[in-house]
Amino acid sequence: MAIWLFDSDCVLCTRGVQYTLKHEKEPTIRFVAITSDEGRALAIQHDLDPDDPTSFLFIDDGQVYDASDAVIALSRHLKGPARALPLLRLLPKALRDAGYRVLARNRYRLFGKVESCITPTPQQRHRFVL
């Protein structure tokens, strides 16, 4: 099972989780909030500050991805428009990661913060660590 370590305070991030839930090819992703004990430990283990995350992490088959590589790795699990995201690989990694970092640094200002954490359905609950 893949793991998505996400910022549960971020509107963009939680909407990304909701999009993923609707467009997954198979329900194989586990969603771990960076504010949870497990999320904090995963973040620290992979050199990400859990109190000021500059990226999300996507772990798939033991491989850890961050920044634009995480977006691309996540997209391989999705159907719909997100399937086009691997085309980002046509851009140099430095350029796509720079764009990712600008978006990540400004995510609260651009998209805001959620008032409450995402609430999974009873059928989805086993896939979440909040």
mmCIF file with all atom_site columns, all heavy atoms in Angstrom, residues 7 10 12-13 52-56 67 97-111:
data_model
loop_
_atom_site.group_PDB
_atom_site.id
_atom_site.type_symbol
_atom_site.label_atom_id
_atom_site.label_alt_id
_atom_site.label_comp_id
_atom_site.label_asym_id
_atom_site.label_entity_id
_atom_site.label_seq_id
_atom_site.pdbx_PDB_ins_code
_atom_site.Cartn_x
_atom_site.Cartn_y
_atom_site.Cartn_z
_atom_site.occupancy
_atom_site.B_iso_or_equiv
_atom_site.pdbx_formal_charge
_atom_site.auth_seq_id
_atom_site.auth_comp_id
_atom_site.auth_asym_id
_atom_site.auth_atom_id
_atom_site.pdbx_PDB_model_num
ATOM 1   N N   . ASP A 1 7   ? -0.359 17.530 4.457  1.00 0.00 ? 7   ASP A N   1
ATOM 2   C CA  . ASP A 1 7   ? -0.607 18.614 5.401  1.00 0.00 ? 7   ASP A CA  1
ATOM 3   C C   . ASP A 1 7   ? -2.120 18.746 5.574  1.00 0.00 ? 7   ASP A C   1
ATOM 4   O O   . ASP A 1 7   ? -2.809 19.266 4.702  1.00 0.00 ? 7   ASP A O   1
ATOM 5   C CB  . ASP A 1 7   ? 0.001  19.905 4.849  1.00 0.00 ? 7   ASP A CB  1
ATOM 6   C CG  . ASP A 1 7   ? -0.218 21.111 5.750  1.00 0.00 ? 7   ASP A CG  1
ATOM 7   O OD1 . ASP A 1 7   ? -0.964 20.991 6.745  1.00 0.00 ? 7   ASP A OD1 1
ATOM 8   O OD2 . ASP A 1 7   ? 0.350  22.172 5.446  1.00 0.00 ? 7   ASP A OD2 1
ATOM 9   N N   . CYS A 1 10  ? -3.924 22.264 5.193  1.00 0.00 ? 10  CYS A N   1
ATOM 10  C CA  . CYS A 1 10  ? -3.866 22.956 3.908  1.00 0.00 ? 10  CYS A CA  1
ATOM 11  C C   . CYS A 1 10  ? -5.091 22.614 3.049  1.00 0.00 ? 10  CYS A C   1
ATOM 12  O O   . CYS A 1 10  ? -5.385 21.439 2.817  1.00 0.00 ? 10  CYS A O   1
ATOM 13  C CB  . CYS A 1 10  ? -2.585 22.546 3.198  1.00 0.00 ? 10  CYS A CB  1
ATOM 14  S SG  . CYS A 1 10  ? -2.454 23.056 1.489  1.00 0.00 ? 10  CYS A SG  1
ATOM 15  N N   . LEU A 1 12  ? -5.446 23.126 -0.208 1.00 0.00 ? 12  LEU A N   1
ATOM 16  C CA  . LEU A 1 12  ? -4.990 22.468 -1.437 1.00 0.00 ? 12  LEU A CA  1
ATOM 17  C C   . LEU A 1 12  ? -4.707 20.989 -1.194 1.00 0.00 ? 12  LEU A C   1
ATOM 18  O O   . LEU A 1 12  ? -5.101 20.133 -1.990 1.00 0.00 ? 12  LEU A O   1
ATOM 19  C CB  . LEU A 1 12  ? -3.751 23.173 -1.988 1.00 0.00 ? 12  LEU A CB  1
ATOM 20  C CG  . LEU A 1 12  ? -3.134 22.560 -3.245 1.00 0.00 ? 12  LEU A CG  1
ATOM 21  C CD1 . LEU A 1 12  ? -4.103 22.626 -4.425 1.00 0.00 ? 12  LEU A CD1 1
ATOM 22  C CD2 . LEU A 1 12  ? -1.818 23.266 -3.576 1.00 0.00 ? 12  LEU A CD2 1
ATOM 23  N N   . CYS A 1 13  ? -4.039 20.692 -0.094 1.00 0.00 ? 13  CYS A N   1
ATOM 24  C CA  . CYS A 1 13  ? -3.675 19.303 0.219  1.00 0.00 ? 13  CYS A CA  1
ATOM 25  C C   . CYS A 1 13  ? -4.913 18.447 0.490  1.00 0.00 ? 13  CYS A C   1
ATOM 26  O O   . CYS A 1 13  ? -5.022 17.328 -0.029 1.00 0.00 ? 13  CYS A O   1
ATOM 27  C CB  . CYS A 1 13  ? -2.740 19.265 1.422  1.00 0.00 ? 13  CYS A CB  1
ATOM 28  S SG  . CYS A 1 13  ? -1.234 20.253 1.196  1.00 0.00 ? 13  CYS A SG  1
ATOM 29  N N   . ASP A 1 52  ? 6.562  22.742 9.699  1.00 0.00 ? 52  ASP A N   1
ATOM 30  C CA  . ASP A 1 52  ? 6.629  23.670 8.567  1.00 0.00 ? 52  ASP A CA  1
ATOM 31  C C   . ASP A 1 52  ? 6.996  22.885 7.311  1.00 0.00 ? 52  ASP A C   1
ATOM 32  O O   . ASP A 1 52  ? 8.074  23.064 6.751  1.00 0.00 ? 52  ASP A O   1
ATOM 33  C CB  . ASP A 1 52  ? 7.658  24.774 8.840  1.00 0.00 ? 52  ASP A CB  1
ATOM 34  C CG  . ASP A 1 52  ? 7.649  25.844 7.776  1.00 0.00 ? 52  ASP A CG  1
ATOM 35  O OD1 . ASP A 1 52  ? 6.618  26.009 7.088  1.00 0.00 ? 52  ASP A OD1 1
ATOM 36  O OD2 . ASP A 1 52  ? 8.686  26.523 7.619  1.00 0.00 ? 52  ASP A OD2 1
ATOM 37  N N   . PRO A 1 53  ? 6.102  22.004 6.868  1.00 0.00 ? 53  PRO A N   1
ATOM 38  C CA  . PRO A 1 53  ? 6.455  21.151 5.734  1.00 0.00 ? 53  PRO A CA  1
ATOM 39  C C   . PRO A 1 53  ? 6.554  21.949 4.435  1.00 0.00 ? 53  PRO A C   1
ATOM 40  O O   . PRO A 1 53  ? 5.716  22.801 4.149  1.00 0.00 ? 53  PRO A O   1
ATOM 41  C CB  . PRO A 1 53  ? 5.299  20.153 5.671  1.00 0.00 ? 53  PRO A CB  1
ATOM 42  C CG  . PRO A 1 53  ? 4.155  20.838 6.329  1.00 0.00 ? 53  PRO A CG  1
ATOM 43  C CD  . PRO A 1 53  ? 4.756  21.743 7.362  1.00 0.00 ? 53  PRO A CD  1
ATOM 44  N N   . THR A 1 54  ? 7.601  21.690 3.697  1.00 0.00 ? 54  THR A N   1
ATOM 45  C CA  . THR A 1 54  ? 7.802  22.348 2.408  1.00 0.00 ? 54  THR A CA  1
ATOM 46  C C   . THR A 1 54  ? 7.429  21.425 1.261  1.00 0.00 ? 54  THR A C   1
ATOM 47  O O   . THR A 1 54  ? 7.576  21.795 0.100  1.00 0.00 ? 54  THR A O   1
ATOM 48  C CB  . THR A 1 54  ? 9.274  22.764 2.249  1.00 0.00 ? 54  THR A CB  1
ATOM 49  O OG1 . THR A 1 54  ? 10.090 21.601 2.420  1.00 0.00 ? 54  THR A OG1 1
ATOM 50  C CG2 . THR A 1 54  ? 9.653  23.825 3.264  1.00 0.00 ? 54  THR A CG2 1
ATOM 51  N N   . SER A 1 55  ? 6.975  20.236 1.582  1.00 0.00 ? 55  SER A N   1
ATOM 52  C CA  . SER A 1 55  ? 6.594  19.262 0.563  1.00 0.00 ? 55  SER A CA  1
ATOM 53  C C   . SER A 1 55  ? 5.649  18.263 1.194  1.00 0.00 ? 55  SER A C   1
ATOM 54  O O   . SER A 1 55  ? 5.452  18.255 2.404  1.00 0.00 ? 55  SER A O   1
ATOM 55  C CB  . SER A 1 55  ? 7.837  18.536 0.024  1.00 0.00 ? 55  SER A CB  1
ATOM 56  O OG  . SER A 1 55  ? 7.478  17.605 -0.971 1.00 0.00 ? 55  SER A OG  1
ATOM 57  N N   . PHE A 1 56  ? 5.076  17.425 0.354  1.00 0.00 ? 56  PHE A N   1
ATOM 58  C CA  . PHE A 1 56  ? 4.423  16.237 0.871  1.00 0.00 ? 56  PHE A CA  1
ATOM 59  C C   . PHE A 1 56  ? 5.285  15.072 0.462  1.00 0.00 ? 56  PHE A C   1
ATOM 60  O O   . PHE A 1 56  ? 6.154  15.206 -0.401 1.00 0.00 ? 56  PHE A O   1
ATOM 61  C CB  . PHE A 1 56  ? 2.969  16.121 0.383  1.00 0.00 ? 56  PHE A CB  1
ATOM 62  C CG  . PHE A 1 56  ? 2.774  15.639 -1.025 1.00 0.00 ? 56  PHE A CG  1
ATOM 63  C CD1 . PHE A 1 56  ? 2.573  14.285 -1.288 1.00 0.00 ? 56  PHE A CD1 1
ATOM 64  C CD2 . PHE A 1 56  ? 2.755  16.516 -2.083 1.00 0.00 ? 56  PHE A CD2 1
ATOM 65  C CE1 . PHE A 1 56  ? 2.359  13.837 -2.582 1.00 0.00 ? 56  PHE A CE1 1
ATOM 66  C CE2 . PHE A 1 56  ? 2.545  16.084 -3.375 1.00 0.00 ? 56  PHE A CE2 1
ATOM 67  C CZ  . PHE A 1 56  ? 2.354  14.735 -3.627 1.00 0.00 ? 56  PHE A CZ  1
ATOM 68  N N   . ALA A 1 67  ? 8.252  16.584 -3.445 1.00 0.00 ? 67  ALA A N   1
ATOM 69  C CA  . ALA A 1 67  ? 8.099  17.672 -4.407 1.00 0.00 ? 67  ALA A CA  1
ATOM 70  C C   . ALA A 1 67  ? 7.429  17.174 -5.689 1.00 0.00 ? 67  ALA A C   1
ATOM 71  O O   . ALA A 1 67  ? 6.455  16.441 -5.627 1.00 0.00 ? 67  ALA A O   1
ATOM 72  C CB  . ALA A 1 67  ? 9.442  18.336 -4.658 1.00 0.00 ? 67  ALA A CB  1
ATOM 73  N N   . ASP A 1 97  ? 10.681 21.321 -9.681 1.00 0.00 ? 97  ASP A N   1
ATOM 74  C CA  . ASP A 1 97  ? 10.769 21.407 -8.223 1.00 0.00 ? 97  ASP A CA  1
ATOM 75  C C   . ASP A 1 97  ? 10.736 22.860 -7.749 1.00 0.00 ? 97  ASP A C   1
ATOM 76  O O   . ASP A 1 97  ? 10.160 23.158 -6.699 1.00 0.00 ? 97  ASP A O   1
ATOM 77  C CB  . ASP A 1 97  ? 12.025 20.709 -7.705 1.00 0.00 ? 97  ASP A CB  1
ATOM 78  C CG  . ASP A 1 97  ? 11.855 19.200 -7.613 1.00 0.00 ? 97  ASP A CG  1
ATOM 79  O OD1 . ASP A 1 97  ? 10.724 18.704 -7.790 1.00 0.00 ? 97  ASP A OD1 1
ATOM 80  O OD2 . ASP A 1 97  ? 12.867 18.512 -7.364 1.00 0.00 ? 97  ASP A OD2 1
ATOM 81  N N   . ALA A 1 98  ? 11.326 23.767 -8.522 1.00 0.00 ? 98  ALA A N   1
ATOM 82  C CA  . ALA A 1 98  ? 11.275 25.185 -8.157 1.00 0.00 ? 98  ALA A CA  1
ATOM 83  C C   . ALA A 1 98  ? 9.823  25.670 -8.186 1.00 0.00 ? 98  ALA A C   1
ATOM 84  O O   . ALA A 1 98  ? 9.382  26.364 -7.265 1.00 0.00 ? 98  ALA A O   1
ATOM 85  C CB  . ALA A 1 98  ? 12.135 26.012 -9.106 1.00 0.00 ? 98  ALA A CB  1
ATOM 86  N N   . GLY A 1 99  ? 9.087  25.298 -9.212 1.00 0.00 ? 99  GLY A N   1
ATOM 87  C CA  . GLY A 1 99  ? 7.669  25.649 -9.279 1.00 0.00 ? 99  GLY A CA  1
ATOM 88  C C   . GLY A 1 99  ? 6.887  25.046 -8.131 1.00 0.00 ? 99  GLY A C   1
ATOM 89  O O   . GLY A 1 99  ? 6.033  25.706 -7.525 1.00 0.00 ? 99  GLY A O   1
ATOM 90  N N   . TYR A 1 100 ? 7.192  23.798 -7.805 1.00 0.00 ? 100 TYR A N   1
ATOM 91  C CA  . TYR A 1 100 ? 6.529  23.131 -6.679 1.00 0.00 ? 100 TYR A CA  1
ATOM 92  C C   . TYR A 1 100 ? 6.806  23.896 -5.383 1.00 0.00 ? 100 TYR A C   1
ATOM 93  O O   . TYR A 1 100 ? 5.902  24.144 -4.592 1.00 0.00 ? 100 TYR A O   1
ATOM 94  C CB  . TYR A 1 100 ? 6.989  21.671 -6.556 1.00 0.00 ? 100 TYR A CB  1
ATOM 95  C CG  . TYR A 1 100 ? 6.328  20.992 -5.393 1.00 0.00 ? 100 TYR A CG  1
ATOM 96  C CD1 . TYR A 1 100 ? 5.143  20.300 -5.564 1.00 0.00 ? 100 TYR A CD1 1
ATOM 97  C CD2 . TYR A 1 100 ? 6.848  21.098 -4.104 1.00 0.00 ? 100 TYR A CD2 1
ATOM 98  C CE1 . TYR A 1 100 ? 4.494  19.722 -4.488 1.00 0.00 ? 100 TYR A CE1 1
ATOM 99  C CE2 . TYR A 1 100 ? 6.213  20.535 -3.029 1.00 0.00 ? 100 TYR A CE2 1
ATOM 100 C CZ  . TYR A 1 100 ? 5.040  19.838 -3.224 1.00 0.00 ? 100 TYR A CZ  1
ATOM 101 O OH  . TYR A 1 100 ? 4.398  19.282 -2.150 1.00 0.00 ? 100 TYR A OH  1
ATOM 102 N N   . ARG A 1 101 ? 8.073  24.266 -5.155 1.00 0.00 ? 101 ARG A N   1
ATOM 103 C CA  . ARG A 1 101 ? 8.440  24.959 -3.915 1.00 0.00 ? 101 ARG A CA  1
ATOM 104 C C   . ARG A 1 101 ? 7.733  26.311 -3.784 1.00 0.00 ? 101 ARG A C   1
ATOM 105 O O   . ARG A 1 101 ? 7.304  26.685 -2.694 1.00 0.00 ? 101 ARG A O   1
ATOM 106 C CB  . ARG A 1 101 ? 9.953  25.129 -3.820 1.00 0.00 ? 101 ARG A CB  1
ATOM 107 C CG  . ARG A 1 101 ? 10.666 23.845 -3.404 1.00 0.00 ? 101 ARG A CG  1
ATOM 108 C CD  . ARG A 1 101 ? 12.129 24.096 -3.082 1.00 0.00 ? 101 ARG A CD  1
ATOM 109 N NE  . ARG A 1 101 ? 12.884 24.624 -4.201 1.00 0.00 ? 101 ARG A NE  1
ATOM 110 C CZ  . ARG A 1 101 ? 13.431 23.892 -5.166 1.00 0.00 ? 101 ARG A CZ  1
ATOM 111 N NH1 . ARG A 1 101 ? 13.307 22.584 -5.146 1.00 0.00 ? 101 ARG A NH1 1
ATOM 112 N NH2 . ARG A 1 101 ? 14.108 24.459 -6.144 1.00 0.00 ? 101 ARG A NH2 1
ATOM 113 N N   . VAL A 1 102 ? 7.591  27.050 -4.885 1.00 0.00 ? 102 VAL A N   1
ATOM 114 C CA  . VAL A 1 102 ? 6.875  28.328 -4.843 1.00 0.00 ? 102 VAL A CA  1
ATOM 115 C C   . VAL A 1 102 ? 5.425  28.097 -4.420 1.00 0.00 ? 102 VAL A C   1
ATOM 116 O O   . VAL A 1 102 ? 4.899  28.792 -3.549 1.00 0.00 ? 102 VAL A O   1
ATOM 117 C CB  . VAL A 1 102 ? 6.942  29.047 -6.213 1.00 0.00 ? 102 VAL A CB  1
ATOM 118 C CG1 . VAL A 1 102 ? 5.958  30.203 -6.270 1.00 0.00 ? 102 VAL A CG1 1
ATOM 119 C CG2 . VAL A 1 102 ? 8.356  29.530 -6.491 1.00 0.00 ? 102 VAL A CG2 1
ATOM 120 N N   . LEU A 1 103 ? 4.791  27.100 -5.011 1.00 0.00 ? 103 LEU A N   1
ATOM 121 C CA  . LEU A 1 103 ? 3.410  26.775 -4.657 1.00 0.00 ? 103 LEU A CA  1
ATOM 122 C C   . LEU A 1 103 ? 3.315  26.322 -3.195 1.00 0.00 ? 103 LEU A C   1
ATOM 123 O O   . LEU A 1 103 ? 2.450  26.775 -2.451 1.00 0.00 ? 103 LEU A O   1
ATOM 124 C CB  . LEU A 1 103 ? 2.861  25.686 -5.583 1.00 0.00 ? 103 LEU A CB  1
ATOM 125 C CG  . LEU A 1 103 ? 1.406  25.297 -5.391 1.00 0.00 ? 103 LEU A CG  1
ATOM 126 C CD1 . LEU A 1 103 ? 0.493  26.481 -5.682 1.00 0.00 ? 103 LEU A CD1 1
ATOM 127 C CD2 . LEU A 1 103 ? 1.059  24.138 -6.291 1.00 0.00 ? 103 LEU A CD2 1
ATOM 128 N N   . ALA A 1 104 ? 4.237  25.460 -2.772 1.00 0.00 ? 104 ALA A N   1
ATOM 129 C CA  . ALA A 1 104 ? 4.215  24.935 -1.402 1.00 0.00 ? 104 ALA A CA  1
ATOM 130 C C   . ALA A 1 104 ? 4.414  26.045 -0.371 1.00 0.00 ? 104 ALA A C   1
ATOM 131 O O   . ALA A 1 104 ? 3.728  26.073 0.655  1.00 0.00 ? 104 ALA A O   1
ATOM 132 C CB  . ALA A 1 104 ? 5.282  23.860 -1.233 1.00 0.00 ? 104 ALA A CB  1
ATOM 133 N N   . ARG A 1 105 ? 5.332  26.953 -0.631 1.00 0.00 ? 105 ARG A N   1
ATOM 134 C CA  . ARG A 1 105 ? 5.593  28.047 0.322  1.00 0.00 ? 105 ARG A CA  1
ATOM 135 C C   . ARG A 1 105 ? 4.412  29.002 0.448  1.00 0.00 ? 105 ARG A C   1
ATOM 136 O O   . ARG A 1 105 ? 4.244  29.646 1.470  1.00 0.00 ? 105 ARG A O   1
ATOM 137 C CB  . ARG A 1 105 ? 6.835  28.836 -0.094 1.00 0.00 ? 105 ARG A CB  1
ATOM 138 C CG  . ARG A 1 105 ? 8.130  28.243 0.376  1.00 0.00 ? 105 ARG A CG  1
ATOM 139 C CD  . ARG A 1 105 ? 9.265  29.238 0.212  1.00 0.00 ? 105 ARG A CD  1
ATOM 140 N NE  . ARG A 1 105 ? 9.396  29.734 -1.153 1.00 0.00 ? 105 ARG A NE  1
ATOM 141 C CZ  . ARG A 1 105 ? 10.186 29.210 -2.084 1.00 0.00 ? 105 ARG A CZ  1
ATOM 142 N NH1 . ARG A 1 105 ? 10.925 28.174 -1.803 1.00 0.00 ? 105 ARG A NH1 1
ATOM 143 N NH2 . ARG A 1 105 ? 10.240 29.727 -3.288 1.00 0.00 ? 105 ARG A NH2 1
ATOM 144 N N   . ASN A 1 106 ? 3.627  29.094 -0.589 1.00 0.00 ? 106 ASN A N   1
ATOM 145 C CA  . ASN A 1 106 ? 2.523  30.060 -0.609 1.00 0.00 ? 106 ASN A CA  1
ATOM 146 C C   . ASN A 1 106 ? 1.151  29.410 -0.514 1.00 0.00 ? 106 ASN A C   1
ATOM 147 O O   . ASN A 1 106 ? 0.141  30.074 -0.723 1.00 0.00 ? 106 ASN A O   1
ATOM 148 C CB  . ASN A 1 106 ? 2.615  30.902 -1.888 1.00 0.00 ? 106 ASN A CB  1
ATOM 149 C CG  . ASN A 1 106 ? 3.845  31.751 -1.886 1.00 0.00 ? 106 ASN A CG  1
ATOM 150 O OD1 . ASN A 1 106 ? 3.957  32.682 -1.107 1.00 0.00 ? 106 ASN A OD1 1
ATOM 151 N ND2 . ASN A 1 106 ? 4.798  31.417 -2.744 1.00 0.00 ? 106 ASN A ND2 1
ATOM 152 N N   . ARG A 1 107 ? 1.093  28.121 -0.188 1.00 0.00 ? 107 ARG A N   1
ATOM 153 C CA  . ARG A 1 107 ? -0.174 27.380 -0.238 1.00 0.00 ? 107 ARG A CA  1
ATOM 154 C C   . ARG A 1 107 ? -1.235 27.927 0.712  1.00 0.00 ? 107 ARG A C   1
ATOM 155 O O   . ARG A 1 107 ? -2.401 27.981 0.359  1.00 0.00 ? 107 ARG A O   1
ATOM 156 C CB  . ARG A 1 107 ? 0.057  25.888 -0.013 1.00 0.00 ? 107 ARG A CB  1
ATOM 157 C CG  . ARG A 1 107 ? 0.491  25.522 1.395  1.00 0.00 ? 107 ARG A CG  1
ATOM 158 C CD  . ARG A 1 107 ? 0.948  24.063 1.472  1.00 0.00 ? 107 ARG A CD  1
ATOM 159 N NE  . ARG A 1 107 ? 1.323  23.681 2.799  1.00 0.00 ? 107 ARG A NE  1
ATOM 160 C CZ  . ARG A 1 107 ? 2.499  23.961 3.365  1.00 0.00 ? 107 ARG A CZ  1
ATOM 161 N NH1 . ARG A 1 107 ? 3.404  24.646 2.703  1.00 0.00 ? 107 ARG A NH1 1
ATOM 162 N NH2 . ARG A 1 107 ? 2.752  23.560 4.589  1.00 0.00 ? 107 ARG A NH2 1
ATOM 163 N N   . TYR A 1 108 ? -0.847 28.344 1.908  1.00 0.00 ? 108 TYR A N   1
ATOM 164 C CA  . TYR A 1 108 ? -1.837 28.870 2.844  1.00 0.00 ? 108 TYR A CA  1
ATOM 165 C C   . TYR A 1 108 ? -2.370 30.225 2.369  1.00 0.00 ? 108 TYR A C   1
ATOM 166 O O   . TYR A 1 108 ? -3.562 30.503 2.456  1.00 0.00 ? 108 TYR A O   1
ATOM 167 C CB  . TYR A 1 108 ? -1.270 29.029 4.250  1.00 0.00 ? 108 TYR A CB  1
ATOM 168 C CG  . TYR A 1 108 ? -0.847 27.745 4.921  1.00 0.00 ? 108 TYR A CG  1
ATOM 169 C CD1 . TYR A 1 108 ? 0.291  27.696 5.697  1.00 0.00 ? 108 TYR A CD1 1
ATOM 170 C CD2 . TYR A 1 108 ? -1.592 26.577 4.782  1.00 0.00 ? 108 TYR A CD2 1
ATOM 171 C CE1 . TYR A 1 108 ? 0.683  26.522 6.329  1.00 0.00 ? 108 TYR A CE1 1
ATOM 172 C CE2 . TYR A 1 108 ? -1.206 25.405 5.403  1.00 0.00 ? 108 TYR A CE2 1
ATOM 173 C CZ  . TYR A 1 108 ? -0.068 25.381 6.179  1.00 0.00 ? 108 TYR A CZ  1
ATOM 174 O OH  . TYR A 1 108 ? 0.317  24.225 6.793  1.00 0.00 ? 108 TYR A OH  1
ATOM 175 N N   . ARG A 1 109 ? -1.479 31.059 1.856  1.00 0.00 ? 109 ARG A N   1
ATOM 176 C CA  . ARG A 1 109 ? -1.883 32.379 1.385  1.00 0.00 ? 109 ARG A CA  1
ATOM 177 C C   . ARG A 1 109 ? -2.772 32.253 0.147  1.00 0.00 ? 109 ARG A C   1
ATOM 178 O O   . ARG A 1 109 ? -3.765 32.957 0.010  1.00 0.00 ? 109 ARG A O   1
ATOM 179 C CB  . ARG A 1 109 ? -0.653 33.217 1.066  1.00 0.00 ? 109 ARG A CB  1
ATOM 180 C CG  . ARG A 1 109 ? -0.977 34.651 0.734  1.00 0.00 ? 109 ARG A CG  1
ATOM 181 C CD  . ARG A 1 109 ? 0.264  35.529 0.616  1.00 0.00 ? 109 ARG A CD  1
ATOM 182 N NE  . ARG A 1 109 ? 1.272  35.016 -0.283 1.00 0.00 ? 109 ARG A NE  1
ATOM 183 C CZ  . ARG A 1 109 ? 1.238  35.142 -1.613 1.00 0.00 ? 109 ARG A CZ  1
ATOM 184 N NH1 . ARG A 1 109 ? 0.227  35.740 -2.182 1.00 0.00 ? 109 ARG A NH1 1
ATOM 185 N NH2 . ARG A 1 109 ? 2.218  34.675 -2.349 1.00 0.00 ? 109 ARG A NH2 1
ATOM 186 N N   . LEU A 1 110 ? -2.436 31.330 -0.755 1.00 0.00 ? 110 LEU A N   1
ATOM 187 C CA  . LEU A 1 110 ? -3.197 31.173 -1.992 1.00 0.00 ? 110 LEU A CA  1
ATOM 188 C C   . LEU A 1 110 ? -4.511 30.402 -1.808 1.00 0.00 ? 110 LEU A C   1
ATOM 189 O O   . LEU A 1 110 ? -5.510 30.725 -2.435 1.00 0.00 ? 110 LEU A O   1
ATOM 190 C CB  . LEU A 1 110 ? -2.344 30.444 -3.045 1.00 0.00 ? 110 LEU A CB  1
ATOM 191 C CG  . LEU A 1 110 ? -1.123 31.196 -3.543 1.00 0.00 ? 110 LEU A CG  1
ATOM 192 C CD1 . LEU A 1 110 ? -0.254 30.284 -4.404 1.00 0.00 ? 110 LEU A CD1 1
ATOM 193 C CD2 . LEU A 1 110 ? -1.536 32.436 -4.324 1.00 0.00 ? 110 LEU A CD2 1
ATOM 194 N N   . PHE A 1 111 ? -4.473 29.366 -0.969 1.00 0.00 ? 111 PHE A N   1
ATOM 195 C CA  . PHE A 1 111 ? -5.627 28.468 -0.856 1.00 0.00 ? 111 PHE A CA  1
ATOM 196 C C   . PHE A 1 111 ? -6.290 28.486 0.515  1.00 0.00 ? 111 PHE A C   1
ATOM 197 O O   . PHE A 1 111 ? -7.421 28.063 0.658  1.00 0.00 ? 111 PHE A O   1
ATOM 198 C CB  . PHE A 1 111 ? -5.222 27.030 -1.210 1.00 0.00 ? 111 PHE A CB  1
ATOM 199 C CG  . PHE A 1 111 ? -4.652 26.912 -2.592 1.00 0.00 ? 111 PHE A CG  1
ATOM 200 C CD1 . PHE A 1 111 ? -3.282 26.868 -2.789 1.00 0.00 ? 111 PHE A CD1 1
ATOM 201 C CD2 . PHE A 1 111 ? -5.479 26.865 -3.697 1.00 0.00 ? 111 PHE A CD2 1
ATOM 202 C CE1 . PHE A 1 111 ? -2.746 26.765 -4.068 1.00 0.00 ? 111 PHE A CE1 1
ATOM 203 C CE2 . PHE A 1 111 ? -4.973 26.765 -4.978 1.00 0.00 ? 111 PHE A CE2 1
ATOM 204 C CZ  . PHE A 1 111 ? -3.592 26.718 -5.167 1.00 0.00 ? 111 PHE A CZ  1
#
